[in-house]
Amino acid sequence: MLERLLLAIINAHTTSETEGLQAERLQTAIAALIGPAARDGQDMERALLFMLRQRRRDVCDVEMQALGSGAGSPRCATRTVPELATLAARRVLGCATAGEVQATARVLCEIFSKRGNACDVAPDHVQEALEAEAVRRLCDELAEWAVPTRP
């Protein structure tokens, strides 16, 4: 129904310059009224995973800088969720126009916030093994100095 109504309005206001562009004008009008076309769920999941990884990297960078930085070094900061969503819209989803980037970033922000910044990420068994090995080495080192540790 919406398409018919919009097409009737477009046809009523077609000029010689816009003749033959009805389909494009209709898609533009629909996108302006109801937002961009829904993206494939898998694409959105990839974008959300990208945002989560970037967020974790930012937090790690800040923590690492805090451990080894002096008072005079500039502080890096974690990017906001809207900044990450904009980046994901451009890099992962390939949005080009400002309107498309803004609309997609808004949707990504909503989903990211609803999930509590936790996306379904497959466990990284290699990372877990490395962490377990590091803890074991620390416990062994502490045991040599007779410092009690919990297993």
Side-chain angles (χ1 to χ4, degrees), residues 133-149:
E133 177 66 20
V135 169
R136 189 188 59 73
R137 286 183 189 172
L138 286 171
C139 289
D140 290 347
E141 189 71 31
L142 291 171
E144 286 182 22
W145 294 92
V147 176
T149 59

Side-chain angles (χ1 to χ4, degrees), residues 69-130:
S69 67
S73 64
R75 293 273 184 213
C76 61
T78 58
R79 289 170 283 189
T80 64
V81 172
E83 289 172 332
L84 293 172
T86 300
L87 187 64
R90 286 191 175 118
R91 285 191 187 173
V92 179
L93 299 174
C95 298
T97 66
E100 187 180 21
V101 169
Q102 187 178 23
T104 304
R106 188 177 321 112
V107 171
L108 286 170
C109 284
E110 288 174 15
I111 296 170
F112 194 81
S113 297
K114 284 179 186 175
R115 291 187 180 184
N117 299 342
C119 296
D120 295 332
V121 179
D124 187 348
H125 299 293
V126 173
Q127 183 66 27
E128 290 174 4
L130 290 172

